[in-house]
Amino acid sequence: MRLRKGASLFITLFLSIGAVISFFPIYLAIINSVKTQGEMFTSFIALPTKLHFENYSQAFDKINLLHSTLNSVIVSVIGIGGIIFCAALAGYKLSRTSGRLSAAIFSLFIASMLVPFHSIMIPLTRMAKSLHVSGSTYGLALIYIGLGVNMAIFLYHGFVKSIPRELEEAARIDGCGEFQTFFRIIFPLLLPITVTIAILDFLWIWNDFLLPLLMLTDANKYTLILSTNTLFGEYNKEWSLILAALVLTALPVIVIYGFFQKFIMQGIAEGAIKG
Amino acid sequence: MPVKSYKHIVSLLAFVAPAFIIYLLFLLIPTIGGMYYSFTDWNGLNRNYSFIGLGNFIEALREDPDFVHSLMFTLKYVLFMIVLQNVFALVLAVFIETKTRTKGFFRTLFFMPNMISTIISAFMWTFVFSQVLPQIAEKTAMSFLDQLWIGDPKVSFYSIIIVSLWNGVGYMMIIYLAALQGVPQSLKEAAVIDGASPFQTFRKVTLPMITHAVTICFFLTLNGAFKVFEVVYGLTGGGPGRSTQVITMNIYEEAFSNNFRYGYASAKSVILFVIILIFTFIQIGVMKRKEVEA
């Protein structure tokens, strides 16, 4: 659409101010993370005169970076993998089966999407304790599967309708069993929605704070977010150290975002429209 | 039962079982359990506890000023977020849409904060509010920047809003952008030929075509805003005092750090659930009717 010059200028100005605000805290965190405490307090805005990477090596140790990143990776991979495996099977079958039982199970999954996490966190911690899954990264991943599977089933359920039934019938005639048909024929065709689900769940699990806080007690099991949180509590005034830790925590996701932004944005848009 | 339908049921259950079992353990049973505990005086440890009917609910709403305050504070937050988050997201999306050459750049930049974990964002902004802004105020004439951004309950409400918007607007913007891309260019051009101004075109053509996205974004904002926790936890910790405590924090405190009153905290979380349900149904109901009209 063609706009008058004034309007176009206003839009550019508005977007530019927005862009500055959007990037400002990240910029501040980065430049101040390589300053000494003293240099920082003469000016927070000025670029550093000399790069002090010792903040990073200190933060690296304090948040146990390698270890806690590994924990985050374990939780995310198992959580996302489990959600996809369980939800694809269930979503596919529920979509293909008519009848009251199938409809009832599906409704049960969907209805629970409205339950806020905070309403179940108390009994959930009890349940995790009694099943001996609290305090472990694998247990945490298991809980994410339980919490995330309903939304994924919903998305798979909708997507399966776009796949022609003839494909399954053909596979059946060729002698495939039900599970074989699913894994060989159907699952590969579900790839687009699987990518969407993986992205949405990655953003959720990787960045989640409250569930790990409730479940994990041993610092060795902490996820990246949780380690950074403890650091913030302990070294309250040592900003150069804290900022280095924040940058270390935020950077991996931003890098991943740089590589996959097309998929990420598409995933969010699709998840919202189908959800 | 005929053999065929028996077989059908077995195969259905075989496919659904992995998801259902894990869902049963970590979502369904806790949901039902929470509702059950909300009628008891269980402290989370004792084997013995008694059923006290609506006692917890009455206490929460009548005799617990902290809870009522957190409820009101959260409602105010929800209201601000629904309006501001959607207005900003929509304006940004519409503006970006007009910029064919720099579209990708702005979209990438505005969405970036959303990639950062909410709690980490809150910590970054704590630095900005407590250190950077006062220094800028001191060195320049912009004295309005010298506020107790986090320390004064009146101001810290807005600090919480600022950080929430910074973190969340990008997500809604993406949804609005996707919806805008679905509006046929020819319709807009036709409106322009008929002499409509850009604003009229937006109101009469574009907006009605994207009402489904408005419904979704309102729903997402509403749901997310009622559940706000990390921003407040990271920024003010609910303080000073309990002035910025939101419902979820009040529940968390009740159950895990203060009194270990599991039954009572469960009742509060049931109240939260019911409030979200009511608001969601009203919102979806109202907006669906709007969509039909359009």
Side-chain angles (χ1 to χ4, degrees), chain A residues 13 21 42 55 98 100-102 165 184 231 237 262:
Chain A
L13 195 69
I21 295 172
T42 53
N55 296 328
S98 49
R100 250 183 283 166
L101 180 65
S102 161
R165 278 170 190 265
R184 288 217 179 149
L231 182 74
K237 288 288 175 299
K262 250 207 180 122

Side-chain angles (χ1 to χ4, degrees), chain B residues 233-245:
Chain B
Y233 181 95
L235 211 57
T236 67
R242 284 184 174 156
S243 54
T244 58
Q245 197 178 57

Side-chain angles (χ1 to χ4, degrees), chain A residues 12 41-42 44 119 122 257, chain B residues 23 99 108 135 139 262 269:
Chain A
T12 310
F41 286 107
T42 53
F44 290 114
S119 294
I122 298 159
Y257 169 56
Chain B
Y23 158 83
K99 298 267 150 205
T108 305
Q135 197 188 61
K139 291 189 172 175
Y262 271 58
S269 54

Side-chain angles (χ1 to χ4, degrees), chain A residues 1-3 8-12 14-16 18-26 28-29 32 40-45 85-87 89-90 92-94 97 101-102 105 108-110 112 114-129 131 133 139 142-143 145-147 149-150 153 178-179 182 200 202-203 207-210 213-214 225 228-229 232 237 239 242-243 246-247 249-250 253-254 256-257 261 264-266 268-269 272-273, chain B residues 7-9 11-16 18-20 22-31 33-35 37 42 44-45 88 91-92 94-96 98-99 102 104-120 123-128 130-133 135-136 139 166 171 174-175 178-179 185 188 192 197-198 201 206 212 216 219-220 223 227-230 233-234 248 251-252 255-256 261-262 265-266 269-270 272-273 276-277 280-281:
Chain A
M1 208 186 327
R2 215 168 293 147
L3 290 169
S8 179
L9 204 68
F10 171 75
I11 289 175
T12 310
F14 187 92
L15 289 178
S16 305
V20 169
I21 295 172
S22 203
F23 191 63
F24 189 54
I26 302 172
L28 286 171
N32 286 299
M40 198 186 281
F41 286 107
T42 53
S43 171
F44 290 114
I45 309 237
F85 176 79
C86 295
L89 276 171
Y92 160 69
K93 195 67 186 180
L94 289 170
T97 316
L101 180 65
S102 161
I105 297 174
L108 198 60
F109 277 122
I110 300 314
S112 67
L114 282 172
V115 178
F117 172 75
H118 305 85
S119 294
I120 62 160
M121 65 182 177
I122 298 159
L124 183 64
T125 49
R126 307 302 304 172
M127 179 59 109
K129 275 216 181 82
L131 292 175
V133 297
L142 215 58
I143 297 171
I145 300 174
L147 298 180
V149 94
N150 48 10
I153 286 178
E178 269 203 278
F179 283 98
F182 174 78
L200 294 174
F202 172 73
L203 294 182
N207 284 333
D208 194 28
F209 168 65
L210 188 52
L213 181 71
L214 293 172
I225 301 292
T228 310
N229 172 56
F232 190 82
K237 288 288 175 299
W239 277 111
I242 291 169
L243 291 174
L246 295 184
V247 172
T249 309
V253 253
I254 290 183
I256 289 175
Y257 169 56
Q261 50 160 313
I264 291 175
M265 288 178 188
Q266 209 180 333
I268 288 167
I273 289 161
Chain B
K7 255 180 126 177
H8 259 92
I9 290 176
S11 113
L12 172 68
L13 294 181
F15 273 82
V16 173
F20 196 76
I22 213 160
Y23 158 83
L24 185 76
L25 289 175
F26 298 120
L27 189 54
L28 196 57
I29 294 178
T31 305
M35 289 181 185
Y37 293 144
W42 193 39
L45 298 166
F88 275 120
V91 168
L92 286 178
V94 171
F95 281 7
I96 288 175
T98 65
K99 298 267 150 205
T102 45
F105 168 76
F106 282 120
R107 193 181 48 184
T108 305
L109 211 60
F110 289 132
F111 183 68
M112 195 159 59
N114 195 269
M115 295 302 296
I116 300 174
S117 160
T118 319
I119 189 91
I120 303 298
F123 292 153
M124 274 185 189
W125 275 94
T126 303
F127 172 67
V128 175
S130 72
Q131 311 290 325
V132 180
L133 295 185
Q135 197 188 61
I136 295 177
K139 291 189 172 175
W166 184 77
Y171 199 92
I174 296 294
I175 299 173
Q185 199 63 35
K188 287 190 250 173
V192 174
S197 70
T201 315
T206 312
H212 63 285
I216 293 161
F219 169 79
L220 290 174
N223 259 267
K227 293 186 256 182
V228 59
F229 180 87
E230 275 95 339
Y233 181 95
T248 52
I251 295 170
Y252 176 86
F256 300 107
R261 290 180 67 188
Y262 271 58
S266 295
S269 54
V270 171
L272 171 66
F273 182 27
I276 294 181
L277 271 188
T280 303
F281 278 121

Side-chain angles (χ1 to χ4, degrees), chain A residues 213-234:
Chain A
L213 181 71
L214 293 172
M215 291 299 159
L216 304 175
T217 42
D218 174 5
N220 275 320
K221 305 281 166 65
Y222 279 2
T223 58
L224 189 54
I225 301 292
L226 206 52
S227 309
T228 310
N229 172 56
T230 36
L231 182 74
F232 190 82
E234 273 171 50

Side-chain angles (χ1 to χ4, degrees), chain B residues 56-69:
Chain B
N56 288 327
F57 293 92
I58 293 167
E59 185 183 340
L61 294 171
R62 281 222 185 133
E63 293 150 37
D64 192 337
D66 285 334
F67 179 68
V68 175
H69 176 265

